[in-house]
Amino acid sequence: MQTLQNCRPRTDDRSNSTLMQSFTRSHFLISAPSSNSGKTTLTLALLRALKNRGLSVQPFKCGPDYIDPIHHTSAAGSQSINLDTFMASENHVRRVYAKYSDGADVSVTEGVMGLFDGADKMSGSSAEIAHLMDIPVILVVNARSMAYSAAPLLFGFKNFDKRVNVAGVIFNFVSTPSHYRFLKEACVDAGVESLGYFPQNNTLSIPSRHLGLHISAETNYEQIIGDLAEALPKTVDLNRLLEITQRPDEDNYPGPVHALPKISNLKISIARDEAFSFIYKQNIEMLGRFGEIRWFSPLHDAVLPETDFLYLPGGYPELFAEKLSENTSMRASINDYCKRGGRALAECGGMMYLAKNLTDQSGDIFPMAGVLDCATSMQRAKMTLGYRIADWNNIRIKGHEFHYSNFLDNDMPCEAINVTNAKGVETDTKFYRFQNTVASYMHLYWADNESFIENLLAIN
């Protein structure tokens, strides 16, 4: 089979012209029976291998994860986009997928957790995304210590929900070619096409940290991704993968997505550097309707730019606490802005930066911006994780919480905002307020919630 680009018909090619004109682009979702099956590693290998073929590749990530999309973007050379049917409406997710997949030769979506794992049963799951977008699923199965037992596993995933098209499988952690032959026989009996396998190779892996795959200057991600992409085509049939996941152009969702008009002309400053990188592109697009986006670095810049609204997203401030603390001019600039009543939103790591100080895992204490009457610590770390729903001034905003840090002391006043988890059970997640600065451990998704930003900008 030819590459996807070469599948497009020549003007003088009359044979199979109808078929060739109908199928021009490939769309698929990489999922697995469970977490820790190697989805991300395989996704990165696919993204780079397809890019190396000269194809334009658009990556997506199911769920609220920030780290995987950073790696996707590096592997594909295109900004990875989150798709989340819990935090956003189905119509919004469809429009986001349409906007970013338009024009790409291949759209690759990495799932979250197991295929059917959602916030509440299947709600918000990878399966729900695959059904909503009508894109086939390619399962990644951890075949370590498994042979013919793959048959009932695959049969169950293929037939559990007929609305979800499980089109193929790639086996991971396969020990030998003979091991793969047993797995391939299981595929025949399960009725799921095997597209190949990835052998066990400890050198082709990315280290983990407390927030999933991590970003570290000590790891040569480019080298690892390049090696993954070089190894993958040796045992995975990329041609067949592209062939079985092609979709007619007319099935793309929905029509052209036009930019929405400007609402105001504020100067909006957003922190972005090694310490603050947990940002949804769609959120920034919504903020862009309210004014001019100005990026700045609390690590490297001397002072805050002229600002009408400040956004401090999450990230890894604990890994750069010493350097953040040493930038005293920036800390003073942000302290002055907030204490003069400047409007600001700080999420998780951004809130930690606005605190009096931050204690790292070693017990070292570093002064921070000193805006908020609290101190945070990475010692005695305990994971807090889950989707959140907040009701504030009759506006519902959704997001998620994922952190290991905690408060050492906290004398901040709370806003009258009720926060529940995905099942509607009240949580102890709080929103805090200092003058016009709002802070919380909750990461928010407001890309389809214009009212939330309007409400935030109206506080005084």
Side-chain angles (χ1 to χ4, degrees):
M1 180 187 168
Q2 298 167 304
T3 64
L4 189 61
Q5 284 185 327
N6 292 334
C7 282
R8 293 172 182 167
R10 299 186 300 271
T11 55
D12 61 345
D13 187 355
R14 302 301 180 186
S15 63
N16 297 321
S17 60
T18 301
L19 175 66
M20 300 303 288
Q21 289 171 359
S22 298
F23 294 87
T24 57
R25 295 176 181 171
S26 179
H27 300 250
F28 57 90
L29 185 148
I30 298 291
S31 190
S34 66
S35 296
N36 300 316
S37 297
K39 292 191 305 292
T40 300
T41 298
L42 188 65
T43 299
L44 295 176
L46 281 167
L47 292 173
R48 178 59 62 82
L50 294 171
K51 180 177 183 288
N52 287 346
R53 287 188 165 203
L55 302 173
S56 61
V57 185
Q58 174 58 55
F60 296 92
K61 172 66 182 180
C62 294
D65 184 86
Y66 291 106
I67 305 302
D68 288 353
I70 293 174
H71 292 296
H72 289 179
T73 301
S74 176
S78 301
Q79 174 69 51
S80 182
I81 302 296
N82 292 79
L83 304 172
D84 194 303
T85 50
F86 176 83
M87 297 195 302
S89 67
E90 289 188 354
N91 184 59
H92 173 78
V93 173
R94 285 165 61 96
R95 291 179 67 82
V96 166
Y97 189 82
K99 176 178 179 178
Y100 287 97
S101 64
D102 183 43
D105 294 315
V106 188
S107 295
V108 182
T109 303
E110 182 189 349
V112 59
M113 299 177 66
L115 177 58
F116 295 103
D117 295 325
D120 187 4
K121 293 187 177 181
M122 280 178 57
S123 176
S125 68
S126 303
E128 186 173 71
I129 294 286
H131 169 59
L132 180 66
M133 303 304 161
D134 190 26
I135 53 178
V137 172
I138 305 299
L139 280 179
V140 179
V141 173
N142 181 347
R144 189 186 285 116
S145 304
M146 179 186 291
Y148 190 68
S149 291
L153 175 70
L154 293 172
F155 183 85
F157 272 81
K158 181 175 179 62
N159 293 285
F160 178 73
D161 188 335
K162 291 293 188 180
R163 299 174 303 169
V164 180
N165 173 22
V166 177
V169 60
I170 298 172
F171 292 101
N172 204 5
F173 308 114
V174 175
S175 56
T176 63
S178 61
H179 179 197
Y180 176 61
R181 285 195 290 272
F182 285 109
L183 296 166
K184 198 169 182 180
E185 290 172 353
C187 289
V188 173
D189 290 348
V192 177
E193 182 169 352
S194 179
L195 298 168
Y197 68 96
F198 213 48
Q200 175 70 47
N201 189 333
N202 293 330
T203 65
L204 297 178
S205 62
I206 296 178
S208 295
R209 201 176 187 93
H210 55 262
L211 291 181
L213 294 177
H214 81 291
I215 306 299
S216 169
E218 299 173 0
T219 302
N220 189 338
Y221 298 104
E222 180 60 29
Q223 181 66 51
I224 294 174
I225 292 171
D227 291 344
L228 287 168
E230 183 179 351
L232 188 73
K234 297 176 182 177
T235 52
V236 174
D237 190 343
L238 297 183
N239 289 332
R240 183 59 180 160
L241 170 63
L242 294 175
E243 185 176 41
I244 67 173
T245 58
Q246 288 178 348
R247 190 174 73 181
D249 276 352
E250 58 265 25
D251 286 352
N252 288 336
Y253 297 100
V257 179
H258 302 290
L260 295 172
K262 284 274 190 179
I263 296 172
S264 59
N265 293 295
L266 301 176
K267 299 178 182 67
I268 300 172
S269 295
I270 303 175
R272 184 177 64 180
D273 56 24
E274 303 95 306
F276 302 99
S277 58
F278 294 176
I279 298 170
Y280 295 125
K281 181 175 175 61
Q282 304 94 295
N283 275 357
I284 305 308
E285 290 177 354
M286 173 58 77
L287 277 180
R289 296 189 60 204
F290 290 84
E292 176 192 355
I293 302 298
R294 301 177 172 192
W295 302 100
F296 78 100
S297 168
L299 279 172
H300 306 296
D301 295 337
V303 295
L304 181 69
E306 183 181 355
T307 300
D308 297 313
F309 178 71
L310 169 64
Y311 175 38
L312 293 166
Y316 288 119
E318 68 274 15
L319 300 183
F320 302 91
E322 183 175 7
K323 192 169 183 179
L324 286 169
S325 186
E326 289 174 347
N327 192 348
T328 55
S329 62
M330 177 59 76
R331 290 197 288 120
S333 176
I334 289 179
N335 180 288
D336 178 68
Y337 170 81
C338 292
K339 288 188 175 179
R340 284 189 294 104
R343 292 175 172 82
L345 173 66
E347 297 176 343
C348 199
M351 179 177 69
M352 295 168 68
Y353 178 65
L354 291 186
K356 292 181 294 185
N357 57 65
L358 189 162
T359 302
D360 68 12
Q361 286 182 318
S362 300
D364 295 323
I365 301 174
F366 299 96
M368 292 288 112
V371 174
L372 303 176
D373 192 9
C374 66
T376 62
S377 173
M378 295 301 298
Q379 293 193 309
R380 296 181 295 279
K382 180 181 178 182
M383 184 177 71
T384 301
L385 168 68
Y387 280 116
R388 300 289 183 259
I389 305 170
D391 291 300
W392 185 24
N393 290 348
N394 298 315
I395 296 171
R396 173 159 289 190
I397 183 74
K398 295 183 179 181
H400 67 102
E401 195 172 357
F402 193 173
H403 60 91
Y404 280 77
S405 65
N406 55 79
F407 289 114
L408 279 182
D409 63 72
N410 180 6
D411 294 318
M412 296 184 292
C414 299
E415 284 288 273
I417 301 174
N418 183 59
V419 182
T420 62
N421 64 17
K423 293 182 179 290
V425 179
E426 189 170 348
T427 71
D428 60 2
T429 308
K430 307 296 183 186
F431 279 73
Y432 305 99
R433 172 91 172 266
F434 170 78
Q435 295 192 24
N436 290 323
T437 296
V438 176
S440 176
Y441 266 122
M442 184 172 165
H443 300 272
L444 304 169
Y445 189 91
W446 62 73
D448 65 340
N449 197 337
E450 180 182 306
S451 298
F452 171 75
I453 299 300
E454 290 176 339
N455 186 65
L456 193 63
L457 293 173
I459 61 175
N460 51 49

